[in-house]
Amino acid sequence: MTVQQKKLVEANLTVGFVAKRSGVKVSTLHFYETKGLIRSWRNNGNQRRYKPDVLRRVAVIKAAQAMGITLEEIKQTLATLPEQRTPTKEDWSALSKNWQAQLDERIAFMQRLRERVDGCIGCGCLSMTKCPIYNKDDYLGEEQSGAVLLNNPQKELNNG
Amino acid sequence: MTVQQKKLVEANLTVGFVAKRSGVKVSTLHFYETKGLIRSWRNNGNQRRYKPDVLRRVAVIKAAQAMGITLEEIKQTLATLPEQRTPTKEDWSALSKNWQAQLDERIAFMQRLRERVDGCIGCGCLSMTKCPIYNKDDYLGEEQSGAVLLNNPQKELNNG
DNA sequence: TTAAAACCTCAAGCTAACTTAAGGTCAATA
DNA sequence: TATTGACCTTAAGTTAGCTTGAGGTTTTAA
């Protein structure tokens, strides 16, 4: 039995092992911990030890990031997981439902954007007074209070 | 005739006017200029003056950003516009085609991600050795060389 | 047992996309 | 004409999400 397999069985993982397994750097795990996204305890020599479910947490963090969700939002959603026991299938399922809705909104937004790209950027109405692209109230107006996408650039579109 | 209408007719716009009309701050216009995204000339008093098509450029920049395209990419795409003449309908249309494809890729990626969220985050296979979420080669593997989304977090997923 | 690998902390650095501040000039209007 | 508002430049600050480096300790393995 290798050391890593042993670690796995004993169910307290080192930071290096978690890093390798989850595909993130050790520094990222430290960083996530300072941000309250993951937790660890220390051994006698002050080294971090993790429960195996940290791997799922990190994978979920990465998946959520790929959806465009910020670490702060992810943290808040992860905070809904139970603290006392290891999260169950149902716990994780609830999380995913939460993000599914956001993802659906984002996809819908992108699709509306796509239509706008068709109709607007490439349109023939180069007159500033006629083209809706110059009319901020029209342009992407429905998104005003909707999904937050990509650092919210659409909020800027509606300023002033 | 107001001053602003006058400016519009005379077709050389002040930075303040462009800022108000395009919904971005003056400092943003300065910034875009240093980044080579827009251009201006100076009047006798060293103040910036813009051609009206800067409004379309800014609107297009904002739309592209909402698609998740970086300023650097936007700059490169805008660089394909003619320098000597005011861009025509066809010029802008070509741009929009370019970004439509990227947007389609992004939408497709999000949709694949959505399926993964269904099947993976919320799944019952909490065993580390079985769940594909722990297997970086499986998880989102198709995206390896695909669309760049949201600061490329999916690249991280495949590291190490 | 000892050298290398892994780990620790804390501070600083990095990129994108801007914003803010300071100190000064130019232009519009009462 | 004078004052207010718009504009100028340059430098530094901001946020997110990390990474890098320095200097030191612990663990592992030959």
Side-chain angles (χ1 to χ4, degrees), chain B residues 87-100:
Chain B
T88 63
K89 167 192 158 89
E90 285 70 32
D91 297 323
W92 290 112
S93 191
L95 275 200
S96 86
K97 291 255 163 57
N98 187 329
W99 285 330
Q100 259 173 45

Side-chain angles (χ1 to χ4, degrees), chain A residues 136 156-157, chain B residues 17-24 29 55 58-59 62:
Chain A
K136 292 182 299 307
E156 301 289 324
L157 288 171
Chain B
F17 177 82
V18 173
K20 219 169 217 170
R21 266 301 184 113
S22 61
V24 304
L29 294 171
L55 291 172
V58 174
K62 285 297 163 188

Side-chain angles (χ1 to χ4, degrees), chain A residues 100 104 114 118 128 150, chain B residues 55 100 104 114 118 128 150:
Chain A
Q100 258 174 44
D104 286 343
R114 195 203 186 286
D118 288 358
M128 230 178 61
L150 306 162
Chain B
L55 291 172
Q100 259 173 45
D104 285 343
R114 194 200 187 290
D118 287 357
M128 232 178 62
L150 305 161

Side-chain angles (χ1 to χ4, degrees), chain A residues 15-127:
Chain A
V15 70
F17 177 82
V18 173
K20 219 171 217 170
R21 267 300 184 111
S22 62
V24 305
K25 295 196 170 186
V26 169
S27 62
T28 306
L29 294 172
H30 287 187
F31 176 72
Y32 285 170
E33 189 168 330
T34 69
K35 291 284 167 176
L37 288 156
I38 60 177
R39 286 205 283 172
S40 68
W41 71 93
R42 302 304 175 98
N43 74 355
N44 288 338
N46 194 37
Q47 296 196 348
R48 287 173 178 81
R49 292 298 179 262
Y50 299 88
K51 283 196 297 173
D53 74 339
V54 77
L55 292 172
R56 177 173 281 259
R57 282 180 87 98
V58 173
V60 164
I61 290 165
K62 285 297 164 189
Q65 281 193 303
M67 295 177 212
I69 297 167
T70 65
L71 288 186
E72 187 51 40
E73 292 176 285
I74 295 168
K75 178 189 170 178
Q76 278 159 29
T77 305
L78 286 177
T80 68
L81 288 173
E83 296 224 357
Q84 302 310 323
R85 56 181 169 74
T86 301
T88 64
K89 167 193 159 88
E90 285 71 33
D91 296 323
W92 290 112
S93 192
L95 275 199
S96 87
K97 290 254 164 56
N98 187 330
W99 285 330
Q100 258 174 44
Q102 284 193 49
L103 192 49
D104 286 343
E105 271 188 63
R106 258 157 242 250
I107 290 172
F109 172 70
M110 299 287 260
Q111 278 162 346
R112 284 200 297 285
L113 195 56
R114 195 203 186 286
E115 286 164 32
R116 287 294 193 164
V117 172
D118 288 358
C120 229
I121 297 182
C123 80
C125 54
L126 291 172
S127 151

Side-chain angles (χ1 to χ4, degrees), chain B residues 136-149:
Chain B
K136 291 182 301 304
D137 300 328
D138 279 5
Y139 188 54
L140 297 177
E142 310 94 348
E143 274 306 310
Q144 190 94 260
S145 57
V148 174
L149 178 83

